[in-house]
Amino acid sequence: MQQTQQIQFQAVSDDIKSILANPDWDDGSLGPVFVRLAWHAAGTYDKTTKTGGTNGATMRFKPESSDGANAGLEHARNFLEPVKAKHDWISYADLWTLAGVVAVEEMSNGQCKVPWEGGRSDKNEKTITVKDIPPNGRLPDAAQGAPHIREVFYRMGFTDREIVALLGAHALGRCHTDRSGYDGPWTFTPTKLSNQFYILLLRIKWEKREWDGPEQYKDPKDKLMMLPSDIALIEDPVMKPIVKEYAEDKELFFKDFAQAFGKLLELGVNRNASR
């Protein structure tokens, strides 16, 4: 990346950093929802057809914008609009992914640095076609088990180890009944990236929550929750040992997460594509 570009992207990063703290949003930080935005913008990639992914910022358009898995992400996109207005040269595709990278670094106290390079382009709203927008249903379904998880992540080109590392992002944020239908945080520190997700997943005796919503699990005090897809990690004979590794070694988790998340944000990128 040229020095001028580095300076420009650093200015954007600084402005993203300046809006992360938000007392009116969830647990006081926009960080978790920015990570989710970057994650979901990338998670539509199909390595066979080479469609989907971060290039194009196609979540601005239907049907991707109306995918149930993306419910609530319009808030994240709107929070970034003032940054986009100030730096109108940056593509939405770069802005959304950079926001996720900045959030990860800030919420890990600088310990988890995700490799990131700019140069993504946006699809033009006047020339975009239905074929340019990935269909709904490509993102992970939290109600499913290990076979579904593998199907989704293998489609993107990830290994089992990378899958477990990426799902460690559930250390951040919380679920909402008006978005995913699920309810509650995974960890006691939802605005800090750590290996707490894995520690709690292994340590707590999770039980099904009795309520009117979709199937999810709770701790004995009903303070935390896990999704069926989370529980699947410790029921799978290949994934459970990796969960144990990350529970015992935060630095290893940060290293593997940074690499896997960086790889995720590169999916579908074509830096030679026209806007």
Side-chain angles (χ1 to χ4, degrees):
M1 192 183 299
Q2 296 178 350
Q3 187 174 5
T4 301
Q5 285 183 313
Q6 289 179 328
I7 294 172
Q8 289 178 316
F9 282 124
Q10 185 59 54
V12 178
S13 297
D14 291 342
D15 284 337
I16 293 170
K17 196 181 304 181
S18 73
I19 66 172
L20 286 179
N22 188 321
D24 297 323
W25 181 260
D26 280 357
D27 299 286
S29 173
L30 298 178
V33 77
F34 285 168
V35 172
R36 181 172 171 242
L37 174 64
W39 209 118
H40 283 221
T44 58
Y45 186 67
D46 184 318
K47 66 179 183 180
T48 302
T49 62
K50 293 181 169 42
T51 58
T54 59
N55 219 56
T58 52
M59 199 190 296
R60 294 171 295 150
F61 311 106
K62 291 182 179 180
E64 189 176 352
S65 62
S66 58
D67 190 332
N70 289 330
L73 286 179
E74 67 276 9
H75 300 295
R77 299 194 298 272
N78 290 338
F79 281 128
L80 289 169
E81 278 300 321
V83 180
K84 170 66 173 170
K86 183 177 178 180
H87 307 277
D88 61 358
W89 55 268
I90 193 171
S91 66
Y92 280 106
D94 272 348
L95 178 62
W96 296 350
T97 52
L98 183 57
V101 169
V102 170
V104 165
E105 184 168 345
E106 288 299 297
M107 291 188 292
S108 66
N109 293 321
Q111 296 179 61
C112 188
K113 297 180 181 292
V114 178
W116 181 89
E117 181 182 352
R120 294 165 188 77
S121 61
D122 293 338
K123 290 293 183 181
N124 188 302
E125 61 182 3
K126 295 181 180 179
T127 59
I128 194 169
T129 67
V130 175
K131 292 182 179 180
D132 295 321
I133 304 172
N136 289 357
R138 286 191 178 182
L139 294 167
D141 181 354
Q144 302 295 320
H148 168 78
I149 294 172
R150 284 193 170 93
E151 179 183 356
V152 169
F153 283 87
Y154 285 4
R155 187 202 70 224
M156 290 187 275
F158 289 106
T159 64
D160 284 352
R161 187 174 196 85
E162 289 170 326
I163 292 171
V164 178
L166 285 171
L167 290 180
H170 282 174
L172 303 170
R174 62 174 61 237
C175 289
H176 304 76
T177 55
D178 62 339
R179 297 172 202 171
S180 65
Y182 299 99
D183 178 52
W186 287 270
T187 70
F188 293 108
T189 55
T191 62
K192 293 182 180 180
L193 183 65
S194 69
N195 62 340
Q196 190 181 145
F197 168 74
Y198 304 106
I199 294 171
L200 295 173
L201 190 55
L202 291 169
R203 183 177 297 172
I204 291 175
K205 185 177 181 180
W206 298 96
E207 54 191 57
K208 288 184 180 180
R209 181 183 181 187
E210 299 296 333
W211 73 313
D212 293 333
E215 180 181 304
Q216 67 178 65
Y217 294 78
K218 69 180 185 70
D219 70 303
K221 295 184 179 180
D222 202 12
K223 299 293 184 182
L224 303 173
M225 71 95 207
M226 288 287 170
L227 303 169
S229 57
D230 299 320
I231 299 298
L233 298 182
I234 55 174
E235 292 178 339
D236 186 88
V238 175
M239 294 182 178
K240 186 174 182 179
I242 305 172
V243 172
K244 289 182 177 179
E245 283 188 61
Y246 293 151
E248 295 170 358
D249 192 336
K250 184 175 73 172
E251 290 184 1
L252 176 62
F253 164 57
F254 279 169
K255 172 180 172 290
D256 287 358
F257 178 80
Q259 292 177 348
F261 196 55
K263 175 179 174 178
L264 176 71
L265 301 184
E266 281 292 305
L267 297 181
V269 177
N270 178 4
R271 291 184 172 81
N272 296 318
S274 59
R275 293 189 181 183

